[in-house]
Amino acid sequence: QVQLVESGGGLAQAGGSLRLSCAASGSIFKINVMAWYRQAPGKQRESVATISSGGNTNYADSVKGRFTISSDNAKNTFYLQLNSLKPEDTAVYYCYAIVATRSSPSLTYQYWGQGTQVTVSS
């Protein structure tokens, strides 16, 4: 079993910054993909940023140049740095990972964090 625990959400003013963290724990063989999603009230959950185990990154057009995803593979932890925040960035942010476990290293499973609220005031 694998758990993802997020931290770092909160309230920020427009133009400000926040840093989200997602720590993975449990029977981890390898984390293949790490990602951040967000869901605003009344909207569908959307992908914000992804990073592969090799370090390749992808971003939603709405956050390019403002958000940065990174990872510390030794700690099984990944991050989302949110800069130049806008009120439209207000949402619950979820971390997501595709993980190969020690008990079944040839298989992968998807895991979600519990979500952390980010609120940006104008």
Side-chain angles (χ1 to χ4, degrees):
Q1 189 73 339
V2 173
Q3 298 81 38
L4 302 182
V5 178
E6 299 153 358
S7 60
L11 177 65
Q13 290 188 334
S17 298
L18 288 171
R19 189 187 194 214
L20 308 182
S21 299
C22 181
S25 62
S27 181
I28 298 170
F29 176 74
K30 183 182 178 183
I31 303 178
N32 293 333
V33 175
M34 295 155 277
W36 291 93
Y37 285 72
R38 68 184 181 186
Q39 187 167 20
K43 294 188 177 181
Q44 290 189 332
R45 191 173 297 188
E46 62 175 356
S47 175
V48 175
T50 63
I51 185 168
S52 69
S53 58
N56 294 318
T57 59
N58 281 289
Y59 295 93
D61 288 343
S62 59
V63 306
K64 279 181 182 176
R66 300 189 299 120
F67 292 5
T68 302
I69 189 170
S70 61
S71 66
D72 184 336
N73 293 337
K75 296 181 178 179
N76 288 329
T77 300
F78 55 107
Y79 309 93
L80 187 67
Q81 179 68 39
L82 297 74
N83 296 332
S84 303
L85 282 162
K86 303 176 180 180
E88 51 263 44
D89 294 320
T90 295
V92 177
Y93 284 71
Y94 298 90
C95 61
Y96 164 88
I98 299 176
V99 180
T101 62
R102 290 183 191 141
S103 59
S104 303
S106 62
L107 301 177
T108 58
Y109 300 89
Q110 301 177 53
Y111 296 94
W112 290 92
Q114 79 282 3
T116 185
Q117 178 70 46
V118 170
T119 303
V120 183
S121 62
S122 57

